[in-house]
Amino acid sequence: SMQEVHQYGRSLLAQKKSKEAFNVFKMNYDKFPNVFTTNTGMARAYSGIGDYKKALEYAQKALPQAPESQNKANLERMIKLLQDGKDIN
């Protein structure tokens, strides 16, 4: 499922396998474009490879799609980190 693939990508990031994680998040995004989970995944993917500007674009796309206040607060924190040039993973 979209969520399982997203979690797999996150596990790759945790293992410091940023390029592999990027490919997983991109595949998920291509299959399920422009929804909260995959926009957040692409933000994590780009952050993982050090492209904070591109990561910020996806985080900002995901913000209005946040399904609940906790997700929104987490994304707002991620956006602030990216604006400061810091990794969100």
Side-chain angles (χ1 to χ4, degrees):
S1 74
M2 174 180 56
Q3 197 61 40
E4 289 170 329
V5 173
H6 181 80
Q7 290 304 323
Y8 178 59
R10 292 204 53 189
S11 73
L12 289 170
L13 284 173
Q15 296 170 45
K16 306 293 185 211
K17 296 179 179 179
S18 299
K19 293 219 183 287
E20 293 94 327
F22 183 91
N23 292 333
V24 168
F25 285 123
K26 179 75 170 94
M27 178 198 66
N28 208 22
Y29 183 85
D30 290 345
K31 191 170 181 181
F32 303 98
N34 201 30
V35 295
F36 173 75
T37 300
T38 58
N39 277 329
T40 303
M42 289 304 292
R44 289 188 176 282
Y46 277 107
S47 182
I49 62 170
D51 189 341
Y52 302 137
K53 184 178 178 184
K54 195 76 172 163
L56 180 60
E57 290 176 27
Y58 282 98
Q60 289 171 329
K61 282 185 191 180
L63 187 59
Q65 299 170 327
E68 59 192 30
S69 60
Q70 183 178 355
N71 291 111
K72 186 175 182 178
N74 190 39
L75 266 170
E76 288 169 343
R77 180 189 59 78
M78 290 165 64
I79 287 169
K80 175 80 173 97
L81 285 170
L82 291 167
Q83 288 170 334
D84 292 342
K86 296 179 182 168
D87 187 17
I88 59 174
N89 296 306

